[in-house]
Amino acid sequence: MTKIEEVKAKVEAGKSKLVPGLVQEALDAGNNPQDILDAMVDSMGVVGEKFSTGEIFVPEMLIAAKAMSKGVDVLKPHLAGDGSSKLGTCVIGTVAGDLHDIGKNLVSLMIESAGFDMVDLGVDVPAETFVQAIKDNDNVKIVACSGLLTSTMPALKEAVAAIKASGLTGFKVIVGGAPVTPEYAAEIGADGFAPDAGTAAVKAKELVA
Amino acid sequence: MNKRENMELIFQHKQPDWIPHLGNDTYGIRDYVVERPIMTTGDDAWGCHWISCPSSLNITHPDGADIKFEDLENWRENINIPDLEKVDFTPMIEEAKAFTNRDEKMIQYVSLNGIFERTHILMGFENALCACMEEPEEFGEMLKAVAEHKIRLFKKVYDIAQPDILVYHDDMATQASQFLNTNFYKKYLFPLYKQIVEAAREMGYKYVMQHSCGRIEKIIPEWLECGFDGWDSVMPCNDLYEIKKEFGDKIVFMPGLDTQGVLGKIGSSRQEIEEMVVRWMNMLASDGTGLIIDATLAYSLNPANEVICLEFIKKHGKPFMDAKKAGIEYIPDLEV
């Protein structure tokens, strides 16, 4: 097994104590930092898929994301440019009137692991705050709006409408949350929908490809 | 038959006179003294901060910035398990004085933030779940410490209000799947649940239910071995027809109904809501047994729909049971 393969396997297994050392060893062995990063992103893709299919549960996904994050810390000084993501920035938040953050946090972790820089606005986020965040941050490529309650679905609609009406361009809007369906996402004008965190990362990458 | 007797029949898995609503048919006491401030920003007795959200009916949520520890290295030093002798239970004592007709109505105590949920509040959800995977034995030790506190708290509340029913809140799942693999539940959580249920019964609580949102269908057999009498929340992400068929003689169902469907939706018609309630009655009380309805604002956040729902249950709960006893299908006249 090559060093990069080892990094990949340990990220997938969520070995956050081992991954930083292995990343350093992979660098010392002369591997390209970008290749190491790509390997970790790939392993998170596998993790996301396993989560989506029910093969693993939330904690397995969390420790894999944590392991990758530790690896990225070692890698960052060696990456080209300012270390910011080549995929761009993702602004994420739970819409106004909704306090549920767990699903949103998991989606954030997985999208970050897919290679985006994240701007997390938290919960109970008014539509105009999403718009302001798009203005305030560079290279926003994805805006992800989450809502768990049926009663806050109108707020989801309002957020998407405000973002679309802002005149700002260059990004795609994805939505998700328990009561949200692909049909509802299309109806309110979102560019994408994901039923879970693993799929959200895949969808985000698809939309910026 | 009074409300107490009717409720008793449900826990005996016999046909009641009517389908009850928990809020209407029992006295209720909630734990806002120790585990969670309700409708207002403030600290609980653990010193954890909660924020009330005005745009969400003032419901409180844990302050994510107020995490007590991120990993388990020094949890024993950093955890602040409440000393119940120093907690002022006066509001609960005063509330219990209003329970004047105990012969007619049961008392239910809703205990918020179970042992697993408390770890999320202390450490943050993600940190807690990582700790489950990375240091399960130590996590288990923390769960034990929290469970010991819970048992002390249940005793205190029993001494104050002598509730008949304990509704123990501890979410075990997301809507897609359980939080953790089944082995974790079996090794670390369920033995403590069993201990909690047994201790509560010894104190005098007649019935112990667990509230868990999410999809728990795969762990129901193991969960039932903990000794619970019923399941609160009962979300439709589970195969409820199958669960009723297989475990209907062992579980009292206390659903919040279709909170993510017509009950939560703004603009649902009266007819849509009523049809939904009848559908749930037929699903979970298909044989007339084992159903208490627990649709509350906290679940749906939609007061107008809840009013319709409660009116309907009050009006149709008895005719529904009369039809069941007569062996005929209940077809109500729905208001359009």
Side-chain angles (χ1 to χ4, degrees):
Chain A
M1 192 184 274
T2 65
K3 278 292 163 207
I4 286 190
E5 284 168 345
E6 248 183 283
V7 169
K8 202 171 167 180
K10 296 302 180 195
V11 166
E12 202 179 317
K15 302 291 182 191
S16 59
K17 285 184 182 158
L18 297 179
V19 168
L22 286 169
V23 169
Q24 189 57 55
E25 285 175 33
L27 286 167
D28 295 344
N31 287 288
N32 182 329
Q34 190 60 49
D35 292 344
I36 301 170
L37 182 63
D38 289 346
M40 290 197 285
V41 170
D42 286 349
S43 57
M44 285 308 295
V46 174
V47 168
E49 198 181 328
K50 283 184 177 174
F51 177 72
S52 298
T53 57
E55 195 179 324
I56 61 169
F57 298 100
V58 174
E60 286 91 337
M61 190 166 73
L62 286 172
I63 58 169
K66 185 175 168 184
M68 175 168 171
S69 167
K70 300 268 183 197
V72 170
D73 286 346
V74 176
L75 212 50
K76 253 189 179 162
H78 303 274
L79 289 166
D82 60 359
S84 65
S85 163
K86 62 179 180 179
L87 291 180
T89 298
C90 172
V91 170
I92 191 167
T94 304
V95 297
D98 201 326
L99 306 175
H100 293 86
D101 67 346
I102 291 172
K104 183 263 299 170
N105 292 351
L106 295 178
V107 170
S108 180
L109 273 177
M110 291 307 286
I111 293 182
E112 184 173 27
S113 301
F116 288 85
D117 289 327
M118 300 305 296
V119 175
D120 189 342
L121 303 175
V123 298
D124 191 20
V125 179
E128 57 272 23
T129 307
F130 280 103
V131 174
Q132 194 58 46
I134 300 164
K135 290 178 185 165
D136 291 347
N137 290 280
D138 293 333
N139 200 25
V140 174
K141 294 292 182 191
I142 295 287
V143 182
C145 305
S146 166
L148 184 124
L149 297 167
T150 312
S151 52
T152 53
M153 286 169 82
L156 203 54
K157 184 179 180 179
E158 198 185 312
V160 175
I163 293 163
K164 294 281 180 179
S166 68
L168 299 165
T169 56
F171 56 85
K172 302 284 185 185
V173 181
I174 59 173
V175 294
V180 183
T181 60
E183 294 75 28
Y184 184 74
E187 184 191 318
I188 63 174
D191 302 302
F193 158 81
D196 60 66
T199 316
V202 173
K203 178 57 73 179
K205 282 170 81 173
E206 250 177 50
L207 287 171
V208 299
Chain B
M1 181 175 293
N2 64 33
K3 290 176 177 177
R4 170 176 283 278
E5 290 161 343
N6 191 62
M7 195 66 89
E8 194 70 60
L9 286 173
I10 288 169
F11 282 107
Q12 289 169 14
H13 290 275
K14 292 178 182 165
Q15 290 185 328
D17 257 20
W18 67 89
I19 300 290
H21 179 266
L22 186 75
N24 285 345
D25 284 48
T26 59
Y27 291 117
I29 196 156
R30 277 180 178 240
D31 191 351
Y32 48 80
V33 174
V34 175
E35 298 292 351
R36 176 177 187 167
I38 291 181
M39 314 299 274
T40 179
T41 293
D43 291 352
D44 60 29
W46 297 72
C48 297
H49 193 57
W50 292 76
I51 298 169
S52 165
C53 181
S55 60
S56 200
L57 299 179
N58 290 320
I59 285 174
T60 50
H61 64 94
D63 180 353
D66 184 38
I67 287 172
K68 302 302 177 192
F69 41 95
E70 289 185 3
D71 57 44
L72 297 178
E73 202 178 332
N74 297 307
W75 73 266
R76 286 178 180 80
E77 290 75 28
N78 294 320
I79 198 168
N80 175 29
I81 297 177
D83 177 350
L84 298 181
E85 296 314 310
K86 291 182 180 160
V87 173
D88 181 9
F89 282 90
T90 306
M92 199 181 267
I93 293 166
E94 289 302 315
E95 202 176 359
K97 285 179 184 167
F99 306 156
T100 52
N101 209 353
R102 290 165 183 259
D103 292 340
E104 299 279 318
K105 274 168 90 170
M106 285 193 183
I107 298 165
Q108 39 92 6
Y109 161 44
V110 174
S111 170
L112 301 167
N113 305 126
I115 60 174
F116 190 47
E117 289 182 1
R118 176 52 64 182
T119 66
H120 307 167
I121 299 160
L122 291 166
M123 303 181 70
F125 178 78
E126 288 86 353
N127 291 328
L129 262 62
C130 284
C132 289
M133 296 295 296
E134 291 169 342
E135 297 179 80
E137 294 299 327
E138 199 60 8
F139 193 84
E141 289 302 309
M142 181 167 61
L143 286 173
K144 271 186 209 169
V146 182
E148 285 165 10
H149 152 79
K150 274 286 178 191
I151 290 169
R152 287 194 295 271
L153 176 61
F154 294 162
K155 177 76 173 80
K156 191 85 187 170
V157 175
Y158 192 82
D159 289 346
I160 291 169
Q162 299 85 49
D164 302 277
I165 308 166
L166 167 62
V167 186
Y168 167 74
H169 275 230
D170 215 6
D171 283 344
M172 297 188 286
T174 71
Q175 291 189 66
S177 66
Q178 56 213 50
F179 285 136
L180 298 147
N181 64 62
T182 304
N183 285 338
F184 187 94
Y185 288 96
K186 282 164 72 175
K187 187 167 180 187
Y188 298 102
L189 264 181
F190 289 164
L192 294 172
Y193 283 178
K194 193 164 192 280
Q195 204 178 317
I196 284 171
V197 173
E198 284 170 359
R201 281 198 211 291
E202 242 172 70
M203 290 168 203
Y205 293 91
K206 285 183 82 173
Y207 304 110
V208 187
M209 309 190 77
Q210 180 166 351
H211 165 103
S212 176
C213 288
R215 193 173 178 188
I216 65 162
E217 59 193 6
K218 286 185 182 161
I219 47 174
I220 283 180
E222 290 86 358
W223 170 77
L224 268 174
E225 284 173 19
C226 302
F228 289 105
D229 298 286
W231 171 27
D232 178 44
S233 167
V234 192
M235 292 180 79
C237 48
N238 298 277
D239 185 346
L240 297 178
Y241 285 103
E242 193 55 36
I243 293 171
K244 172 68 181 179
K245 203 168 106 189
E246 199 169 341
F247 303 107
D249 59 338
K250 298 181 184 71
I251 303 175
V252 170
F253 297 95
M254 202 157 76
L257 303 176
D258 193 6
T259 48
Q260 288 174 321
V262 295
L263 200 53
K265 203 171 71 183
I266 292 166
S268 292
S269 70
R270 177 175 281 272
Q271 189 175 355
E272 283 175 317
I273 294 168
E274 293 181 347
E275 280 172 351
M276 179 274 295
V277 178
V278 174
R279 192 171 67 248
W280 277 75
M281 283 179 169
N282 276 316
M283 176 169 64
L284 294 175
S286 49
D287 55 355
T289 71
L291 176 63
I292 303 165
I293 291 176
D294 185 26
T296 64
L297 277 183
Y299 293 167
S300 71
L301 291 179
N302 201 324
N305 292 355
E306 196 207 7
V307 168
I308 295 171
C309 180
L310 295 191
E311 282 172 2
F312 184 80
I313 294 161
K314 208 168 177 182
K315 186 173 168 190
H316 295 266
K318 183 158 186 345
F320 173 86
M321 280 312 305
D322 289 344
K324 283 287 166 197
K325 286 175 183 172
I328 54 174
E329 191 186 352
Y330 181 60
I331 304 171
D333 288 331
L334 300 180
E335 293 182 35
V336 181

